[in-house]
Coordinates of all heavy atoms in Angstrom, one line a residue:
M75 N 143.8 60.5 184.2 CA 143.9 61.9 183.9 C 145.4 62.2 183.9 O 146.1 61.9 184.8 CB 143.1 62.7 184.8 CG 143.2 64.2 184.5 SD 142.0 65.1 185.5 CE 143.1 66.2 186.4
L76 N 145.8 62.9 182.9 CA 147.2 63.4 182.9 C 147.2 64.6 183.8 O 146.3 65.4 183.9 CB 147.6 63.9 181.5 CG 147.6 62.9 180.4 CD1 147.8 63.6 179.0 CD2 148.7 61.9 180.6
G77 N 148.3 64.8 184.6 CA 148.4 65.9 185.5 C 149.8 66.2 185.8 O 150.7 65.4 185.7
G78 N 150.1 67.5 186.1 CA 151.4 67.9 186.5 C 152.4 67.6 185.4 O 152.2 67.9 184.3
P79 N 153.5 66.9 185.8 CA 154.6 66.6 184.8 C 154.1 65.8 183.6 O 154.7 65.8 182.6 CB 155.6 65.8 185.7 CG 155.3 66.1 187.1 CD 153.8 66.4 187.1
G80 N 153.0 65.0 183.8 CA 152.5 64.2 182.7 C 152.0 65.0 181.5 O 152.0 64.5 180.4
L81 N 151.7 66.2 181.8 CA 151.2 67.1 180.7 C 152.3 67.6 179.8 O 152.1 68.0 178.7 CB 150.4 68.3 181.3 CG 149.0 68.0 181.8 CD1 148.4 69.3 182.5 CD2 148.1 67.5 180.7
E82 N 153.5 67.6 180.3 CA 154.7 68.0 179.5 C 154.8 67.3 178.2 O 155.2 67.9 177.2 CB 156.0 67.9 180.3 CG 156.1 68.8 181.5 CD 157.3 68.5 182.3 OE1 158.1 67.6 182.1 OE2 157.5 69.3 183.3
S83 N 154.4 66.1 178.2 CA 154.5 65.3 176.9 C 153.5 65.7 175.9 O 153.6 65.3 174.7 CB 154.4 63.8 177.3 OG 153.1 63.5 177.8
V84 N 152.4 66.4 176.2 CA 151.4 66.8 175.3 C 151.4 68.3 175.0 O 150.4 68.8 174.3 CB 150.0 66.2 175.7 CG1 150.0 64.7 175.5 CG2 149.6 66.7 177.0
V85 N 152.4 69.0 175.5 CA 152.4 70.5 175.2 C 152.6 70.6 173.6 O 153.3 69.9 173.0 CB 153.5 71.2 175.9 CG1 153.8 72.6 175.4 CG2 153.2 71.2 177.4
D86 N 151.9 71.6 173.0 CA 151.9 71.8 171.6 C 151.2 70.7 170.8 O 151.3 70.6 169.6 CB 153.3 72.1 171.0 CG 153.8 73.4 171.5 OD1 153.0 74.4 171.7 OD2 155.0 73.5 171.8
Q87 N 150.4 69.9 171.5 CA 149.6 68.8 170.8 C 148.1 69.1 171.1 O 147.8 69.8 172.0 CB 150.0 67.4 171.3 CG 151.4 67.0 170.9 CD 151.7 65.6 171.3 OE1 150.8 64.8 171.4 NE2 152.9 65.3 171.7
I88 N 147.3 68.5 170.2 CA 145.8 68.7 170.4 C 145.3 67.8 171.5 O 145.7 66.6 171.5 CB 145.1 68.4 169.1 CG1 145.5 69.5 168.0 CG2 143.6 68.5 169.3 CD1 144.8 69.2 166.7
I89 N 144.6 68.4 172.5 CA 144.0 67.6 173.5 C 142.5 67.8 173.6 O 142.0 68.8 173.1 CB 144.7 67.9 174.9 CG1 144.4 69.4 175.3 CG2 146.2 67.6 174.9 CD1 144.8 69.7 176.7
S90 N 141.9 66.9 174.3 CA 140.4 67.1 174.6 C 140.3 67.2 176.1 O 140.9 66.4 176.9 CB 139.7 65.9 174.1 OG 138.3 66.0 174.4
V91 N 139.5 68.1 176.6 CA 139.3 68.4 178.0 C 137.8 68.2 178.3 O 137.0 68.9 177.6 CB 139.8 69.8 178.4 CG1 139.5 70.0 179.9 CG2 141.2 70.0 178.1
I92 N 137.4 67.4 179.3 CA 136.1 67.4 179.8 C 136.1 68.1 181.1 O 136.8 67.8 182.0 CB 135.6 65.9 180.0 CG1 135.8 65.1 178.8 CG2 134.2 65.9 180.5 CD1 135.0 65.5 177.6
T93 N 135.2 69.1 181.2 CA 135.1 69.9 182.4 C 134.1 69.4 183.4 O 133.2 68.5 183.0 CB 134.8 71.4 182.1 OG1 133.5 71.4 181.4 CG2 135.8 72.0 181.1
N94 N 134.1 69.8 184.6 CA 133.2 69.4 185.6 C 131.7 69.7 185.2 O 130.8 69.0 185.7 CB 133.5 70.0 187.0 CG 134.8 69.5 187.5 OD1 135.3 68.5 187.2 ND2 135.4 70.3 188.5
D95 N 131.5 70.7 184.4 CA 130.1 71.0 184.0 C 129.7 70.3 182.7 O 128.7 70.6 182.2 CB 129.9 72.5 183.9 CG 130.8 73.2 183.0 OD1 131.7 72.6 182.4 OD2 130.7 74.4 182.8
G96 N 130.5 69.4 182.3 CA 130.1 68.5 181.1 C 130.5 69.1 179.8 O 130.1 68.5 178.8
R97 N 131.3 70.1 179.7 CA 131.7 70.6 178.4 C 132.9 69.8 177.8 O 133.7 69.3 178.6 CB 132.1 72.1 178.5 CG 131.0 73.0 179.0 CD 131.4 74.4 179.4 NE 131.8 75.1 178.2 CZ 132.5 76.2 178.3 NH1 132.9 76.7 179.4 NH2 132.9 76.8 177.1
N98 N 133.0 69.7 176.5 CA 134.1 69.1 175.8 C 134.8 70.2 175.0 O 134.3 70.7 174.0 CB 133.6 68.0 174.9 CG 134.7 67.2 174.2 OD1 135.9 67.5 174.4 ND2 134.4 66.3 173.3
I99 N 136.0 70.5 175.4 CA 136.8 71.5 174.8 C 138.0 70.9 174.2 O 138.8 70.2 174.8 CB 137.2 72.7 175.8 CG1 135.9 73.2 176.4 CG2 138.0 73.7 175.1 CD1 136.1 74.2 177.5
V100 N 138.3 71.2 172.9 CA 139.4 70.7 172.2 C 140.3 71.8 171.7 O 139.8 72.8 171.3 CB 138.9 69.9 170.9 CG1 140.1 69.4 170.1 CG2 138.0 68.7 171.3
G101 N 141.6 71.6 171.9 CA 142.5 72.7 171.5 C 144.0 72.2 171.6 O 144.2 71.1 172.1
V102 N 144.9 73.1 171.3 CA 146.3 72.9 171.4 C 146.8 73.3 172.8 O 146.6 74.5 173.1 CB 147.1 73.6 170.3 CG1 148.6 73.4 170.4 CG2 146.6 73.2 168.9
L103 N 147.3 72.4 173.5 CA 147.8 72.7 174.9 C 149.1 73.6 174.7 O 150.1 73.2 174.1 CB 148.2 71.4 175.6 CG 148.7 71.7 177.0 CD1 147.7 72.3 177.9 CD2 149.2 70.4 177.7
K104 N 149.0 74.8 175.3 CA 150.2 75.7 175.2 C 150.9 75.8 176.5 O 152.1 76.2 176.5 CB 149.7 77.1 174.7 CG 149.4 77.1 173.3 CD 150.6 76.8 172.5 CE 150.3 76.9 171.0 NZ 151.5 76.5 170.2
G105 N 150.2 75.5 177.6 CA 150.9 75.6 178.9 C 150.0 75.2 180.0 O 148.8 75.0 179.9
F106 N 150.6 75.0 181.2 CA 149.9 74.5 182.4 C 150.8 74.9 183.6 O 151.9 75.2 183.5 CB 149.6 73.0 182.4 CG 150.9 72.2 182.4 CD1 151.4 71.7 183.6 CD2 151.6 71.9 181.2 CE1 152.6 70.9 183.6 CE2 152.7 71.1 181.2 CZ 153.2 70.7 182.4
D107 N 150.2 74.8 184.8 CA 150.9 75.1 186.0 C 150.7 74.0 187.0 O 150.1 73.0 186.7 CB 150.6 76.5 186.6 CG 149.1 76.6 187.1 OD1 148.4 75.5 187.1 OD2 148.7 77.7 187.4
Q108 N 151.2 74.1 188.2 CA 151.2 73.1 189.2 C 149.7 72.8 189.7 O 149.5 71.7 190.2 CB 152.1 73.4 190.4 CG 151.6 74.6 191.3 CD 152.0 76.0 190.7 OE1 152.6 76.0 189.6 NE2 151.8 77.0 191.4
A109 N 148.8 73.7 189.5 CA 147.4 73.5 189.9 C 146.6 72.9 188.7 O 145.4 72.8 188.7 CB 146.8 74.8 190.3
T110 N 147.3 72.5 187.6 CA 146.7 72.0 186.4 C 145.8 73.0 185.7 O 144.8 72.6 185.0 CB 146.0 70.6 186.6 OG1 146.8 69.8 187.5 CG2 145.8 69.9 185.3
N111 N 146.0 74.3 186.0 CA 145.3 75.3 185.1 C 146.0 75.2 183.8 O 147.2 75.0 183.7 CB 145.6 76.7 185.7 CG 145.0 76.9 187.1 OD1 143.9 76.6 187.3 ND2 145.8 77.5 188.0
I112 N 145.2 75.2 182.7 CA 145.8 75.0 181.4 C 145.4 76.1 180.4 O 144.4 76.8 180.6 CB 145.3 73.6 180.8 CG1 143.8 73.6 180.5 CG2 145.8 72.5 181.6 CD1 143.4 72.4 179.8
I113 N 146.3 76.3 179.4 CA 146.1 77.3 178.4 C 145.9 76.5 177.1 O 146.8 75.8 176.7 CB 147.2 78.3 178.3 CG1 147.4 79.0 179.6 CG2 147.0 79.3 177.1 CD1 148.7 79.8 179.7
L114 N 144.8 76.7 176.4 CA 144.6 76.1 175.1 C 144.6 77.2 174.0 O 144.0 78.2 174.2 CB 143.3 75.4 175.0 CG 143.1 74.2 176.0 CD1 141.7 73.6 175.9 CD2 144.1 73.1 175.7
D115 N 145.1 76.9 172.8 CA 145.1 77.8 171.7 C 144.3 77.1 170.6 O 144.2 75.8 170.6 CB 146.5 78.1 171.2 CG 146.5 79.3 170.3 OD1 145.5 80.0 170.2 OD2 147.6 79.5 169.6
E116 N 143.7 77.9 169.7 CA 142.9 77.3 168.6 C 141.9 76.4 169.1 O 141.6 75.3 168.5 CB 143.8 76.6 167.6 CG 144.9 77.5 167.0 CD 145.9 76.7 166.1 OE1 145.5 75.7 165.5 OE2 147.0 77.2 166.0
S117 N 141.2 76.7 170.2 CA 140.3 75.8 170.8 C 138.9 76.0 170.4 O 138.5 77.1 169.8 CB 140.4 76.0 172.4 OG 139.9 77.3 172.7
H118 N 138.1 75.0 170.5 CA 136.7 75.0 170.3 C 135.9 74.1 171.2 O 136.5 73.1 171.7 CB 136.4 74.7 168.8 CG 136.8 73.3 168.4 ND1 138.1 73.1 168.0 CD2 136.2 72.1 168.4 CE1 138.2 71.8 167.7 NE2 137.1 71.2 167.9
E119 N 134.7 74.4 171.5 CA 133.8 73.5 172.3 C 133.0 72.7 171.4 O 132.4 73.2 170.4 CB 132.9 74.3 173.2 CG 132.1 73.5 174.1 CD 131.2 74.3 175.0 OE1 131.3 75.5 175.0 OE2 130.4 73.6 175.7
R120 N 132.9 71.4 171.6 CA 132.0 70.5 170.9 C 130.7 70.3 171.7 O 130.8 69.8 172.8 CB 132.7 69.2 170.6 CG 133.9 69.3 169.7 CD 134.5 68.0 169.3 NE 135.5 68.2 168.4 CZ 136.3 67.2 167.9 NH1 136.2 66.0 168.4 NH2 137.3 67.5 167.0
V121 N 129.6 70.7 171.1 CA 128.3 70.7 171.8 C 127.5 69.5 171.1 O 127.2 69.6 169.9 CB 127.6 72.0 171.6 CG1 126.2 71.9 172.3 CG2 128.4 73.1 172.2
Y122 N 127.2 68.5 171.9 CA 126.6 67.3 171.4 C 125.0 67.4 171.6 O 124.6 68.0 172.5 CB 127.1 66.1 172.1 CG 128.5 65.8 171.8 CD1 129.5 66.4 172.6 CD2 128.9 65.0 170.8 CE1 130.9 66.1 172.3 CE2 130.2 64.7 170.5 CZ 131.2 65.3 171.2 OH 132.5 65.1 171.0
S123 N 124.3 66.8 170.6 CA 122.9 66.8 170.6 C 122.3 65.5 170.1 O 123.0 64.9 169.2 CB 122.4 68.0 169.8 OG 121.0 67.9 169.6
T124 N 121.2 65.1 170.5 CA 120.6 63.9 169.9 C 119.8 64.2 168.7 O 119.4 63.3 168.0 CB 119.6 63.2 171.0 OG1 118.7 64.1 171.4 CG2 120.4 62.7 172.2
K125 N 119.5 65.5 168.4 CA 118.7 65.9 167.3 C 119.5 66.4 166.1 O 119.0 66.3 164.9 CB 117.7 67.0 167.7 CG 116.8 66.4 168.8 CD 115.8 67.5 169.2 CE 114.8 66.8 170.1 NZ 114.3 67.4 171.2
E126 N 120.7 66.9 166.3 CA 121.5 67.4 165.2 C 122.9 67.1 165.4 O 123.3 66.6 166.5 CB 121.3 68.9 165.0 CG 121.5 69.7 166.2 CD 121.1 71.2 166.1 OE1 120.0 71.4 165.7 OE2 122.0 72.0 166.3
G127 N 123.7 67.3 164.4 CA 125.2 67.0 164.5 C 125.9 67.8 165.6 O 125.3 68.7 166.2
V128 N 127.1 67.5 165.8 CA 127.9 68.2 166.8 C 128.2 69.7 166.3 O 128.7 69.9 165.2 CB 129.3 67.5 167.0 CG1 130.1 68.2 168.0 CG2 129.0 66.1 167.5
Q129 N 127.9 70.6 167.2 CA 128.2 72.0 166.9 C 129.6 72.3 167.4 O 130.0 71.8 168.5 CB 127.3 73.0 167.6 CG 125.9 73.0 167.0 CD 125.0 74.0 167.7 OE1 125.2 74.3 168.9 NE2 124.1 74.6 167.0
Q130 N 130.4 73.1 166.7 CA 131.7 73.4 167.2 C 131.8 74.9 167.4 O 131.7 75.7 166.4 CB 132.8 73.0 166.2 CG 132.9 71.4 166.1 CD 134.1 71.0 165.5 OE1 135.2 70.9 166.2 NE2 134.1 70.5 164.3
L131 N 131.8 75.4 168.6 CA 131.8 76.8 168.9 C 133.3 77.2 169.1 O 134.0 76.7 170.0 CB 131.1 77.1 170.2 CG 129.7 76.5 170.3 CD1 129.1 76.7 171.7 CD2 128.8 77.1 169.2
V132 N 133.7 78.2 168.3 CA 135.1 78.7 168.3 C 135.4 79.5 169.6 O 134.6 80.4 169.9 CB 135.4 79.5 167.1 CG1 136.8 80.1 167.1 CG2 135.3 78.7 165.8
L133 N 136.4 79.1 170.3 CA 136.8 79.8 171.5 C 138.1 80.5 171.4 O 138.4 81.5 172.1 CB 136.9 78.8 172.7 CG 135.6 78.0 173.0 CD1 135.9 76.9 174.1 CD2 134.5 78.9 173.5
G134 N 139.0 80.1 170.5 CA 140.3 80.7 170.3 C 141.2 80.4 171.5 O 141.3 79.2 172.0
L135 N 142.0 81.4 172.0 CA 142.9 81.2 173.1 C 142.0 81.1 174.4 O 141.1 82.0 174.6 CB 143.8 82.4 173.2 CG 144.9 82.3 174.3 CD1 145.8 81.1 173.9 CD2 145.7 83.6 174.4
Y136 N 142.2 80.0 175.2 CA 141.2 79.7 176.3 C 142.0 79.2 177.5 O 142.9 78.4 177.3 CB 140.2 78.7 175.8 CG 138.9 78.7 176.5 CD1 138.0 79.7 176.4 CD2 138.6 77.6 177.3 CE1 136.8 79.7 177.0 CE2 137.4 77.6 178.0 CZ 136.5 78.6 177.8 OH 135.3 78.6 178.5
I137 N 141.6 79.7 178.6 CA 142.2 79.2 179.9 C 141.2 78.5 180.7 O 140.0 78.9 180.8 CB 142.7 80.4 180.7 CG1 143.8 81.1 179.9 CG2 143.3 79.9 182.1 CD1 144.3 82.4 180.6
I138 N 141.5 77.3 181.2 CA 140.6 76.5 182.0 C 141.3 76.3 183.4 O 142.4 75.8 183.5 CB 140.3 75.1 181.4 CG1 139.8 75.3 180.0 CG2 139.3 74.4 182.2 CD1 139.6 74.0 179.2
R139 N 140.6 76.6 184.4 CA 141.1 76.4 185.8 C 141.2 74.9 186.1 O 140.3 74.2 185.7 CB 140.2 77.1 186.8 CG 140.3 78.6 186.8 CD 139.3 79.2 187.8 NE 139.4 78.5 189.1 CZ 139.8 79.1 190.2 NH1 140.2 80.3 190.2 NH2 139.9 78.4 191.4
G140 N 142.2 74.5 186.8 CA 142.5 73.1 187.1 C 141.4 72.5 187.9 O 141.0 71.3 187.7
D141 N 140.7 73.3 188.8 CA 139.7 72.7 189.6 C 138.4 72.5 188.9 O 137.4 72.0 189.4 CB 139.5 73.5 190.9 CG 139.0 75.0 190.6 OD1 138.9 75.4 189.4 OD2 138.8 75.7 191.6
N142 N 138.3 72.9 187.6 CA 137.2 72.7 186.8 C 137.4 71.6 185.7 O 136.6 71.4 184.8 CB 136.8 74.0 186.0 CG 135.4 73.9 185.4 OD1 134.5 73.3 185.9 ND2 135.3 74.6 184.3
I143 N 138.5 70.9 185.8 CA 138.8 69.9 184.8 C 138.6 68.5 185.4 O 139.0 68.2 186.5 CB 140.3 70.0 184.4 CG1 140.6 71.3 183.7 CG2 140.7 68.8 183.5 CD1 142.0 71.6 183.4
S144 N 137.8 67.7 184.7 CA 137.6 66.3 185.1 C 138.5 65.3 184.4 O 139.1 64.5 185.0 CB 136.1 65.9 184.7 OG 135.2 66.5 185.5
V145 N 138.7 65.5 183.0 CA 139.5 64.6 182.3 C 140.3 65.4 181.2 O 139.7 66.3 180.6 CB 138.7 63.5 181.5 CG1 139.5 62.6 180.7 CG2 137.8 62.7 182.5
I146 N 141.6 65.0 181.0 CA 142.4 65.6 180.0 C 142.9 64.4 179.2 O 143.4 63.4 179.8 CB 143.6 66.4 180.5 CG1 143.1 67.6 181.3 CG2 144.5 66.8 179.3 CD1 144.3 68.3 181.9
G147 N 142.8 64.4 177.9 CA 143.2 63.3 177.1 C 143.8 63.8 175.7 O 143.4 64.8 175.2
E148 N 144.8 63.0 175.2 CA 145.3 63.3 173.9 C 144.3 63.0 172.9 O 143.4 62.1 173.0 CB 146.5 62.4 173.6 CG 147.7 62.6 174.5 CD 148.8 61.7 174.3 OE1 149.5 61.8 173.2 OE2 149.1 60.8 175.1
L149 N 144.3 63.7 171.8 CA 143.3 63.5 170.7 C 144.1 63.0 169.5 O 145.1 63.5 169.1 CB 142.7 64.9 170.3 CG 141.5 64.8 169.4 CD1 140.3 64.2 170.2 CD2 141.1 66.1 168.9
D150 N 143.7 61.8 169.0 CA 144.2 61.2 167.8 C 143.8 62.0 166.6 O 142.6 61.9 166.2 CB 143.8 59.8 167.7 CG 144.5 59.0 166.5 OD1 144.8 59.7 165.5 OD2 144.7 57.8 166.6
E151 N 144.6 62.9 166.0 CA 144.3 63.8 165.0 C 143.8 63.1 163.7 O 142.8 63.5 163.1 CB 145.4 64.7 164.6 CG 145.8 65.7 165.7 CD 146.9 66.6 165.4 OE1 146.8 67.3 164.3 OE2 148.0 66.6 166.1
E152 N 144.4 62.0 163.4 CA 144.0 61.2 162.2 C 142.6 60.6 162.3 O 141.8 60.7 161.5 CB 145.1 60.1 161.9 CG 145.0 59.4 160.6 CD 146.1 58.4 160.4 OE1 147.3 58.8 160.6 OE2 145.8 57.3 160.0
L153 N 142.4 60.0 163.5 CA 141.1 59.4 163.8 C 140.0 60.5 163.8 O 138.9 60.4 163.3 CB 141.1 58.6 165.1 CG 139.8 57.9 165.5 CD1 139.5 56.9 164.4 CD2 140.0 57.3 166.8
D154 N 140.3 61.6 164.5 CA 139.4 62.7 164.6 C 139.0 63.4 163.3 O 137.9 63.7 163.0 CB 140.0 63.8 165.6 CG 138.9 64.8 166.0 OD1 137.9 64.4 166.6 OD2 139.2 66.0 165.7
A155 N 140.0 63.5 162.4 CA 139.8 64.0 161.1 C 138.9 63.2 160.2 O 138.1 63.7 159.4 CB 141.1 64.2 160.3
G156 N 138.8 61.9 160.5 CA 138.0 60.9 159.8 C 136.5 60.9 160.3 O 135.7 60.3 159.6
L157 N 136.2 61.6 161.3 CA 134.9 61.6 161.9 C 134.0 62.7 161.1 O 134.5 63.8 160.9 CB 134.9 62.0 163.4 CG 135.5 61.0 164.3 CD1 135.5 61.5 165.7 CD2 134.7 59.7 164.3
D158 N 132.8 62.4 160.8 CA 131.9 63.3 160.3 C 131.0 63.8 161.4 O 130.0 63.2 161.7 CB 131.0 62.7 159.2 CG 130.1 63.7 158.5 OD1 130.1 64.9 158.9 OD2 129.3 63.3 157.6
L159 N 131.4 64.9 162.0 CA 130.8 65.4 163.2 C 129.3 65.9 162.9 O 128.5 65.9 163.8 CB 131.6 66.6 163.9 CG 132.9 66.1 164.4 CD1 133.7 67.4 165.0 CD2 132.8 65.1 165.5
S160 N 129.1 66.2 161.7 CA 127.7 66.7 161.3 C 126.7 65.5 161.4 O 125.5 65.7 161.5 CB 127.7 67.3 160.0 OG 128.0 66.4 159.0
E161 N 127.2 64.3 161.3 CA 126.3 63.1 161.4 C 126.3 62.4 162.8 O 125.5 61.5 163.0 CB 126.8 62.1 160.3 CG 126.6 62.6 158.9 CD 125.2 62.8 158.5 OE1 124.3 62.0 158.9 OE2 124.9 63.8 157.9
L162 N 127.2 62.9 163.6 CA 127.3 62.3 165.0 C 126.2 62.8 165.9 O 126.0 64.0 166.0 CB 128.7 62.6 165.5 CG 129.1 61.9 166.8 CD1 129.1 60.4 166.6 CD2 130.4 62.4 167.3
R163 N 125.5 61.9 166.6 CA 124.5 62.2 167.5 C 124.9 61.6 168.9 O 125.3 60.5 169.0 CB 123.1 61.6 167.1 CG 122.7 62.0 165.7 CD 122.2 63.4 165.6 NE 121.6 63.7 164.4 CZ 122.2 64.2 163.3 NH1 123.5 64.4 163.4 NH2 121.6 64.5 162.2
A164 N 124.7 62.4 169.9 CA 125.0 61.9 171.3 C 124.3 62.8 172.3 O 124.0 63.9 172.1 CB 126.5 61.9 171.5
H165 N 124.0 62.2 173.5 CA 123.5 63.0 174.6 C 124.6 63.9 175.1 O 125.7 63.5 175.2 CB 123.0 62.1 175.7 CG 121.7 61.3 175.3 ND1 120.5 61.9 175.4 CD2 121.6 60.0 174.9 CE1 119.6 61.0 175.0 NE2 120.2 59.8 174.7
P166 N 124.2 65.1 175.5 CA 125.2 66.0 176.1 C 125.7 65.4 177.4 O 124.9 64.6 178.1 CB 124.4 67.3 176.4 CG 123.3 67.2 175.5 CD 122.9 65.8 175.3
L167 N 126.9 65.6 177.8 CA 127.4 65.1 179.0 C 126.8 65.8 180.2 O 126.5 67.0 180.2 CB 128.9 65.3 179.1 CG 129.8 64.5 178.2 CD1 131.2 64.9 178.2 CD2 129.6 63.0 178.4
K168 N 126.5 65.1 181.3 CA 126.0 65.7 182.5 C 127.1 66.2 183.3 O 128.3 65.7 183.2 CB 125.2 64.6 183.3 CG 123.9 64.2 182.5 CD 123.1 63.2 183.3 CE 121.9 62.8 182.5 NZ 121.1 61.8 183.1
P169 N 126.9 67.2 184.2 CA 127.9 67.6 185.1 C 128.5 66.5 186.0 O 127.7 65.6 186.3 CB 127.2 68.7 185.9 CG 126.1 69.1 185.1 CD 125.6 67.9 184.3
V170 N 129.7 66.6 186.4 CA 130.4 65.7 187.3 C 129.9 66.1 188.7 O 130.0 67.2 189.1 CB 131.9 65.8 187.1 CG1 132.6 64.9 188.2 CG2 132.3 65.4 185.7
I171 N 129.5 65.1 189.4 CA 129.1 65.3 190.8 C 130.1 64.6 191.7 O 130.4 63.4 191.6 CB 127.7 64.7 191.1 CG1 126.7 65.4 190.2 CG2 127.3 64.9 192.6 CD1 125.3 64.8 190.2
H172 N 130.7 65.4 192.6 CA 131.8 64.9 193.5 C 131.2 64.5 194.8 O 130.3 65.0 195.3 CB 132.8 66.0 193.8 CG 133.6 66.3 192.5 ND1 134.6 65.5 192.0 CD2 133.5 67.4 191.7 CE1 135.1 66.1 191.0 NE2 134.5 67.2 190.7

């Protein structure tokens, strides 16, 4: 997981965040603090299902508390653009248990 100073290299880039409750939120990292609270712009949540394609719920400007973040990763925009999310099927992520 990127954290603290490691996030500086991905500011203004698209990232994917997996939260402790199993949500996948994608957006442009605009800022963060020492507690890894992050600010995402142009964000959306990807909701996975085994019965239909991935739904993308628009969130816009979004703040995520650092203590609710499990994983932060860079998103390969070229690879992501080539995915047909309407055809993708997957089980929703389960919450992270500490």
Side-chain angles (χ1 to χ4, degrees):
M75 179 167 121
L76 299 172
L81 286 175
E82 291 174 357
S83 64
V84 291
V85 170
D86 291 325
Q87 293 184 31
I88 297 178
I89 63 169
S90 177
V91 178
I92 306 296
T93 62
N94 291 340
D95 58 356
R97 297 170 67 196
N98 181 4
I99 301 172
V100 175
V102 178
L103 180 64
K104 287 299 185 181
F106 63 94
D107 65 11
Q108 68 276 7
T110 319
N111 298 312
I112 63 171
I113 301 170
L114 296 177
D115 196 14
E116 302 173 27
S117 66
H118 60 274
E119 179 180 357
R120 291 184 176 174
V121 181
Y122 294 88
S123 167
T124 56
K125 297 184 173 142
E126 54 188 56
V128 177
Q129 290 181 330
Q130 297 196 75
L131 307 176
V132 177
L133 303 173
L135 187 64
Y136 203 71
I137 298 171
I138 306 173
R139 288 179 47 116
D141 61 357
N142 192 34
I143 296 173
S144 291
V145 179
I146 299 174
E148 296 178 70
L149 193 73
D150 184 328
E151 293 180 58
E152 191 175 310
L153 182 62
D154 192 57
L157 295 175
D158 183 0
L159 294 177
S160 66
E161 295 296 320
L162 187 62
R163 306 285 189 268
H165 288 282
L167 292 174
K168 294 181 181 177
V170 174
I171 299 173
H172 294 283

